[in-house]
Amino acid sequence: MRILVTGCAGYIGGTFTFEALKRGFKVIGIDSFINGKKNNIKFFLENYRESFKFIEEDLSDYKAEKLKKELDSIKIDVAVHCAGLKSVDESEKEPLLYWKNNVDSTINLLNILSNSNVRKVIFSSSATVYGDSDIHPILEDFGIEPVSTYGSTKVAIEQMLKDSSRSKKFDVVSLRYFNPVGSHKEMKVYESPYSMPNNLMPRIIRVALKLDQKLQIYGTDYDTRDGTGERDYIHIDDLVEGHFKAVEYIKDFKGYEVFNLGTGTSITVKEIISCFEEVNGIKISHEYADRRPGDIAKCYADPSKANNLLGWSAQKNLEDMCRDAWKAIKNNLNDAK
Ligand code: UFG
């Protein structure tokens, strides 16, 4: 089977690509390197010469000549669309950049796929589409009320895919990720803490590496177990496994379907810090700060639909996530930048 992976140099697309190559799939990867790492591509090309092909291109460029040319000669069975900008904060400051990079590029991709008769698409969506839900855990049919531009672009893409599936041109599975953390079991692909990330785990790692003196905990007065934000953190290996289940599922599936990929357990900021300290034996100095604009109190999944229809459930726990996130950086200190 041949899979097209967009965003194949990034944390999630790269981890999926690595695991797909290990499992014997052929992968055509595309990335613009806006956020992706060149080292990931170098590693795939060196180790999977026969089964990996890379295209450096920006999908929001309507010409996308390299991809079009490639798809003229090669038959793709499934497209896994991971490419996209993903910072909530940045999306509020640069909304048009997010609409161009996330939405425009998907319109372009779908046109190219349609012209090449590729009809199976798996899309990296996000729990951010639910916004600030009053009810937890969150089911797929809850209201869609994004509170950031980033979230709005994910909703728009989901709608575009749903509409396209009605036209019978595409069969689509959207995977709504909760909070992916940790590193692939072989520690070759990981999330870099060096590019001033906004997310909690790479910020914790920055303190562990002494790049930052203290972690700021954004808000201690939320209506949660200990006043700090509660999220559903999911190990990247489990998240990636969910994609392989979706690849299986979509083979005989027709239409549009959406699944939550989360563990169903919520963890507070204080709990993840304590776990990281205990598992890795490193103190994470922290201080309390104001709430971060746009943040919500809690967000965690009801993953039973994915359990039942995909036969998928998360296997790894918070200790695994904290241990693997740190181990990958420790193992790759020279390359991680
Ligand atoms: N947090 C801190 N300090 C930090 C960073 C984060 O206290 O330095 C807190 C946040 O306030 C929040 C929690 O840690 O309570 C998690 O924050 P993240 O930034 O790691 O994750 P978010 O839940 O805000 O958003 C993430 C992704 C989105 C995705 C969403 C899905 O950034 O892309 O999860 O739930 F859509």
Side-chain angles (χ1 to χ4, degrees):
M1 184 184 250
R2 204 175 264 122
I3 307 181
L4 174 74
V5 184
T6 72
C8 68
Y11 169 49
I12 295 171
T15 307
F16 174 76
T17 297
F18 183 27
E19 196 53 39
L21 291 167
K22 283 178 51 148
R23 292 180 191 204
F25 292 97
K26 292 205 173 352
V27 176
I28 312 287
I30 178 161
D31 205 292
S32 63
F33 293 125
I34 292 179
N35 281 326
K37 279 177 66 207
K38 291 201 166 153
N39 275 356
N40 287 339
I41 301 305
K42 191 167 165 263
F43 172 74
F44 300 148
L45 288 171
E46 278 169 8
N47 290 277
Y48 298 94
R49 206 178 294 264
E50 301 296 312
S51 45
F52 180 68
K53 177 131 203 198
F54 179 62
I55 301 168
E56 182 177 348
E57 201 154 62
D58 183 347
L59 277 174
S60 64
D61 168 5
Y62 275 83
K63 288 200 270 338
E65 277 162 359
K66 292 186 212 160
L67 178 62
K68 283 179 188 158
K69 190 161 169 249
E70 194 63 36
L71 296 193
D72 276 348
S73 57
I74 281 180
K75 185 185 167 317
I76 296 290
D77 298 292
V78 185
V80 177
H81 181 30
C82 299
L85 297 176
K86 59 167 191 171
S87 160
V88 172
D89 199 38
E90 186 187 40
S91 78
E92 289 304 290
K93 292 176 189 139
E94 298 285 350
L96 295 180
L97 179 73
Y98 272 66
W99 279 89
K100 180 169 163 54
N101 261 281
N102 294 358
V103 181
D104 266 19
S105 59
T106 306
I107 297 175
N108 198 21
L109 175 69
L110 291 181
N111 275 319
I112 295 169
L113 294 181
S114 166
N115 287 336
S116 305
N117 296 317
V118 180
R119 56 173 298 141
K120 305 282 177 185
V121 179
I122 295 170
F123 172 56
S124 298
S125 189
S126 163
T128 196
V129 301
Y130 299 114
D132 198 0
S133 174
D134 290 338
I135 309 166
H136 293 88
I138 297 173
L139 279 161
E140 287 83 351
D141 59 3
F142 280 20
I144 297 299
E145 288 177 47
V147 291
S148 67
T149 303
Y150 166 70
S152 302
T153 65
K154 291 288 178 188
V155 172
I157 297 169
E158 280 201 13
Q159 190 60 50
M160 186 197 307
L161 291 166
K162 198 172 176 181
D163 293 345
S164 304
S165 75
R166 274 204 312 278
S167 77
K168 311 267 185 269
K169 279 197 174 150
F170 295 102
D171 303 311
V172 181
V173 169
S174 286
L175 301 174
R176 291 183 182 154
Y177 306 162
F178 280 67
N179 288 52
V181 293
S183 297
H184 180 269
K185 44 191 168 298
E186 289 187 29
M187 311 292 159
K188 302 281 188 211
V189 184
Y190 46 85
E191 189 173 27
S192 171
Y194 289 95
S195 52
M196 266 331 281
N198 286 310
N199 297 118
L200 181 59
M201 183 59 88
R203 287 268 181 100
I204 291 176
I205 301 240
R206 285 183 66 85
V207 178
L209 286 170
K210 301 197 175 12
L211 294 169
D212 291 338
Q213 270 186 340
K214 282 186 179 170
L215 175 80
Q216 294 202 310
I217 297 183
Y218 297 137
T220 51
D221 58 351
Y222 283 112
D223 182 17
T224 56
R225 271 198 298 285
D226 60 19
T228 65
E230 273 177 42
R231 296 290 186 276
D232 186 337
Y233 296 96
I234 172 171
H235 195 292
I236 185 80
D237 287 346
D238 283 327
L239 188 89
V240 160
E241 191 56 42
H243 290 64
F244 287 104
K245 296 287 186 190
V247 167
E248 255 325 286
Y249 180 85
I250 208 168
K251 276 185 195 161
D252 299 317
F253 172 74
K254 297 246 171 291
Y256 180 82
E257 195 63 271
V258 53
F259 294 100
N260 285 341
L261 291 186
T263 63
T265 309
S266 76
I267 305 288
T268 70
V269 177
K270 284 186 183 171
E271 287 165 349
I272 200 168
I273 294 171
S274 301
C275 180
F276 188 96
E277 292 183 328
E278 201 167 310
V279 170
N280 297 313
I282 300 171
K283 186 100 195 92
I284 300 299
S285 303
H286 53 267
E287 62 190 3
Y288 299 133
D290 290 343
R291 291 181 179 196
R292 183 171 62 174
D295 264 357
I296 54 177
K298 59 173 92 158
C299 179
Y300 64 97
D302 181 330
S304 49
K305 187 174 171 189
N307 299 165
N308 296 332
L309 293 186
L310 297 180
W312 171 90
S313 62
Q315 303 297 315
K316 299 198 172 182
N317 61 23
L318 189 64
E319 282 83 28
D320 299 322
M321 301 178 212
C322 291
R323 188 196 53 241
D324 294 348
W326 177 234
K327 203 168 156 193
I329 302 302
K330 252 190 348 191
N331 285 6
N332 293 285
L333 276 180
N334 293 331
D335 290 335
K337 289 177 192 175

